[in-house]
């Protein structure tokens, strides 16, 4: 079919006066017996294209199936628009209706449905202005990620497995993968499940992070990045947690924690700038309808240095703040979202990178500092979001890593291949993980992570 994508009609003045073919979904229809106006959207831009039907050339019967939500094809002449707020419109010459939508049952009748309502209609919400914009920005950011790494030399896109037998973060919040009959699995003599009869001959689960395999890639290719789905079976019902989310994980050989922080900062700034440059209409829509400070905040992040300090310094600032937090501030405990946001939004008023956390609250693979109490972790904390990146320099010393694995009782037999990187040509290396949906949240100014992924997976919700 010959089709003019609507986004291109707004930017192609040479097409004015020409015949065009537009196809899309009707947002609204209004008018009188002389003229009817249809606002048409084909998903390519936040802007609707106005189609003008001269009713001396069409009958009421022709226009009857042209209801909100219907899909149509209009052949007509692209003309400069008289109406305000739109640069061009189409004067219809012929109409083809692909499919009507019954006004009695089509759920997206009016503008301004709540985001909660639209979550229940996730199969149709991409057709709304808000979700069209979210999904276009999300797609642009995914492209920016690949572009960032490909413009630098020495980073390769590595695909790490989704099904795994190891628990990277050691938190145990994994979704099991099995082909055993869970109502009646084969059992060993002691009554435990006989996993030798399972598909992979051992217990497996969906990955929580591609990092461990990423380290195998980095210690061969020099630099890699992953970009794929990860899964966490933690029962956190918050506006910032999903059970299935996408993560970007660069891992780089010959890198220390400072190199890692520099990469993280440049990476985020690149992605935000890319959105500012390439998603102007959509970001202006969010700025106008959801968050009047969005564009200023995005520009601020791109233009200013992130504040870097240690966890210990952060704790001191929080203690000295005199603020009553819901969770008390104590050296050694993990920071809660309220603590992170205080540092970012109220104290420093800019993104913050916190380093050198107590080893007890971080994963086994992080490089131990000489104080024996803290590890070379770095978390990037963002306004509105809290933690957007978690990363570290890795423990490159075989004996020290083994010590941590034993201390934490991590099953050694699952880790032999990982330990081999430290036995054969070990190198200093570092990496991080960026939560892709948290980046999309930040860039769009949306406030619930369920609204920046097409089909969210959260506790008790796997619809669509
Ligand atoms: O801090 P996390 O758990 O770090 C790792 O998984 C490391 N293996 C990464 C690495 O060093 N290669 O997760 C990294 C990021 C977080 O900062 C957050 O942005 C995001 O992933 N994240 C989530 N996003 C949505 N829903 C969840 N349940 C998330 N858990 C983590
Ligand atoms: Mg983390």
């Amino acid at each position: 079919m010959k089709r003019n994508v609507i986004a291109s009609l707004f930017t192609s003045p040479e097409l004015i006066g020409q015949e065009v073919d537009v196809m899309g979904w009707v947002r609204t229809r209004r008018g009188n017996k002389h003229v009817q106006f249809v606002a048409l959207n084909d998903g390519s831009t936040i802007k609707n294209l106005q189609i003008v039907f001269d009713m001396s050339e069409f009958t009421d019967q022709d226009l009857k199936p042209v209801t909100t939500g219907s899909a149509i094809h209009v052949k007509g002449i692209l003309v400069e628009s008289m109406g305000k707020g739109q640069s061009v419109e189409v004067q219809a010459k012929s109409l083809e209706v692909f499919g009507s939508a019954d006004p009695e049952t089509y759920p997206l009748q009016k503008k301004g449905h709540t985001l909660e309502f639209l979550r229940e209609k996730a199969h149709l919400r991409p057709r709304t202005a808000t979700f069209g914009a979210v999904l276009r920005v999300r797609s642009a950011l995914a492209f920016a990620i690949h572009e960032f790494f490909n413009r630098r030399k020495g980073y390769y896109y590595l695909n790490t497995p989704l099904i795994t037998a190891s628990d990277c973060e050691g938190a145990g919040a994994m979704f099991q993968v099995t082909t055993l009959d869970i109502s009646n699995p084969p059992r060993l003599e002691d009554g435990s499940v006989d996993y030798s009869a399972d598909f992979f001959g051992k217990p497996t689960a969906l990955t929580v992070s591609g990092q461990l395999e990423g380290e195998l890639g980095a210690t061969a290719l020099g630099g890699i990045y992953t970009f794929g789905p990860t899964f966490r079976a933690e029962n956190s019902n918050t506006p910032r947690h999903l059970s299935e989310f996408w993560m970007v994980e660069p891992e780089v050989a010959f890198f220390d924690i400072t190199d890692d922080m520099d990469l993280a900062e440049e990476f985020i700034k690149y992605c935000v700038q890319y959105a500012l440059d390439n998603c102007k209409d959509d970001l202006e829509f969010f700025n106008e309808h959801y968050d009047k400070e969005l564009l200023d905040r995005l520009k601020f992040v791109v233009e200013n240095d992130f504040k870097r300090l240690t966890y210990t310094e952060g704790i001191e600032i929080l203690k000295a703040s005199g603020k009553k937090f819901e969770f008390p501030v104590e050296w050694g405990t993990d920071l809660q979202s309220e603590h992170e946001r205080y540092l970012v939004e109220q104290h420093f008023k800019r993104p913050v990178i916190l380093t050198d956390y107590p080893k007890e609250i971080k994963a086994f693979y992080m490089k131990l500092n000489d104080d024996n109490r803290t590890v070379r972790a770095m978390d990037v904390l963002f306004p509105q979001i809290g933690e957007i990146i978690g990363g570290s320099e890795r423990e490159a010393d075989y004996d020290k890593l083994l010590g941590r694995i034993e201390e934490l009782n991590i099953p050694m037999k699952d880790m032999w291949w990982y330990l081999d990187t430290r036995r054969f040509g070990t190198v200093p290396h570092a990496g991080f993980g960026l939560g892709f949906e948290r980046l999309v949240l930040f860039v769009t100014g949306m406030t619930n992570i369920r609204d920046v992924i097409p089909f969210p997976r959260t506790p008790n919700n796997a619809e669509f």
Side-chain angles (χ1 to χ4, degrees):
M1 290 190 214
K2 176 177 167 267
R3 172 184 162 219
N4 295 91
V5 171
I6 289 177
S8 69
L9 296 185
F10 289 110
T11 52
S12 308
E14 71 279 6
L15 285 178
I16 289 174
Q18 307 280 312
E19 187 178 83
V20 294
D21 286 86
V22 290
M23 302 177 192
W25 294 268
V26 172
R27 285 280 166 82
T28 55
R29 173 158 72 87
R30 63 184 175 84
N32 52 43
K33 61 182 195 294
H34 305 296
V35 58
Q36 289 277 314
F37 300 99
V38 164
L40 193 68
N41 193 284
D42 70 354
S44 63
T45 160
I46 190 94
K47 292 185 204 153
N48 297 329
L49 179 67
Q50 175 154 284
I51 315 286
V52 184
F53 288 90
D54 177 346
M55 292 310 284
S56 64
E57 294 175 35
F58 293 88
T59 65
D60 288 350
Q61 208 51 34
D62 292 337
L63 276 266
K64 195 154 175 261
V66 181
T67 53
T68 295
S70 62
I72 63 172
H73 168 199
V74 171
K75 204 185 261 301
I77 307 295
L78 188 72
V79 297
E80 273 179 277
S81 175
M82 298 294 175
K84 69 173 204 290
Q86 46 216 356
S87 53
V88 291
E89 61 189 29
V90 166
Q91 249 146 22
K93 294 291 163 224
S94 71
L95 166 70
E96 176 188 2
V97 178
F98 293 121
S100 191
D102 181 1
E104 296 296 314
T105 49
Y106 183 62
L108 307 179
Q109 286 302 333
K110 61 177 176 71
K111 282 187 173 181
H113 287 300
T114 65
L115 295 170
E116 288 77 11
F117 172 84
L118 292 174
R119 260 172 240 149
E120 310 281 311
K121 307 277 180 260
H123 59 311
L124 293 171
R125 70 178 181 172
R127 292 196 197 171
T128 63
T130 298
F131 286 92
V134 166
L135 296 180
R136 281 186 297 273
V137 171
R138 186 180 164 106
S139 172
L141 286 170
F143 185 80
I145 286 162
H146 288 294
E147 192 178 78
F148 173 81
F149 288 112
N150 277 283
R151 282 196 168 175
R152 326 197 130 204
K153 285 280 165 279
Y155 286 87
Y156 302 95
Y157 178 37
L158 185 77
N159 301 121
T160 51
L162 298 190
I163 299 176
T164 174
S166 52
D167 179 0
C168 173
E169 292 307 297
M174 300 180 88
F175 289 101
Q176 193 178 348
V177 173
T178 181
T179 51
L180 295 178
D181 175 2
I182 56 162
S183 60
N184 184 26
R187 293 190 184 274
L188 296 168
E189 268 168 25
D190 67 1
S192 62
V193 173
D194 179 9
Y195 282 105
S196 69
D198 202 350
F199 190 90
F200 295 106
K202 57 173 160 182
T204 53
L206 295 177
T207 188
V208 296
S209 157
Q211 179 196 322
L212 301 185
E213 291 89 354
E215 288 184 53
L216 306 182
T219 52
L221 298 170
I224 62 94
Y225 67 103
T226 72
F227 184 16
T230 48
F231 307 87
R232 300 206 180 170
E234 44 193 32
N235 197 8
S236 343
N237 247 312
T238 82
R240 277 177 275 284
H241 288 87
L242 290 165
S243 314
E244 177 180 304
F245 64 98
W246 285 62
M247 190 153 43
V248 184
E249 293 185 276
E251 191 69 36
V252 201
F254 320 110
F255 236 46
D256 63 20
I257 188 174
T258 307
D259 301 321
D260 206 29
M261 289 190 279
D262 292 344
L263 183 73
E265 186 166 339
E266 285 166 40
F267 172 55
I268 298 197
K269 286 177 171 173
Y270 187 91
C271 293
V272 174
Q273 185 64 53
Y274 187 91
L276 284 167
D277 293 341
N278 293 278
C279 308
K280 213 167 159 286
D281 293 345
D282 290 327
L283 294 186
E284 277 167 9
F285 169 83
F286 291 124
N287 196 75
E288 187 180 331
H289 295 279
Y290 286 96
D291 183 346
K292 297 268 189 270
E293 283 155 26
L294 176 67
L295 289 172
D296 288 341
R297 194 158 60 240
L298 298 183
K299 286 178 196 145
F300 182 88
V301 161
V302 171
E303 285 163 11
N304 290 279
D305 289 343
F306 298 2
K307 175 72 192 172
R308 301 179 184 189
L309 70 157
T310 66
Y311 165 92
T312 304
E313 290 163 336
I315 291 286
E316 277 156 17
I317 292 169
L318 289 167
K319 282 193 160 160
S321 72
K323 240 190 91 99
K324 267 250 158 293
F325 293 106
E326 190 187 335
F327 294 89
V329 178
E330 199 65 60
W331 197 97
T333 60
D334 215 352
L335 294 183
Q336 301 295 323
S337 181
E338 55 172 344
H339 307 135
E340 296 174 343
R341 293 186 62 171
Y342 174 83
L343 290 174
V344 173
E345 289 163 27
Q346 299 188 41
H347 190 81
F348 291 111
K349 299 192 167 43
R350 64 179 58 219
V352 166
I353 310 184
L354 272 192
T355 61
D356 304 287
Y357 284 71
K359 66 175 179 185
E360 285 76 16
I361 58 171
K362 289 292 181 189
F364 73 95
Y365 50 69
M366 297 190 182
K367 185 176 171 70
L368 197 59
N369 282 318
D370 291 340
D371 64 9
N372 242 329
R373 299 171 73 209
T374 59
V375 287
R376 247 164 252 186
M378 64 106 186
D379 278 6
V380 181
L381 313 179
F382 252 46
Q384 320 288 100
I385 305 295
E387 180 189 335
I388 193 165
I389 279 182
S392 70
E393 184 173 338
R394 317 306 188 191
E395 183 57 78
D397 182 275
Y398 179 83
D399 293 317
K400 285 189 188 162
L401 183 61
L402 194 62
R404 284 297 284 153
I405 288 177
E406 282 171 349
E407 244 170 67
L408 293 168
N409 276 319
I410 298 169
M412 197 75 66
K413 68 175 188 349
D414 298 337
M415 281 292 153
W416 65 271
W417 51 272
Y418 183 68
L419 282 162
D420 267 7
T421 55
R422 277 60 166 178
R423 288 175 63 205
F424 308 121
T426 189
V427 287
H429 63 289
F432 62 79
L434 166 99
F436 184 51
E437 285 74 22
R438 295 197 184 171
L439 176 68
V440 184
L441 265 182
F442 178 72
V443 171
T444 58
M446 300 301 283
T447 51
N448 192 313
I449 201 162
R450 292 163 182 77
D451 297 331
V452 295
I453 187 165
F455 305 105
R457 297 289 176 256
T458 50
N460 288 316
N461 177 34
E463 193 70 42
F464 310 108

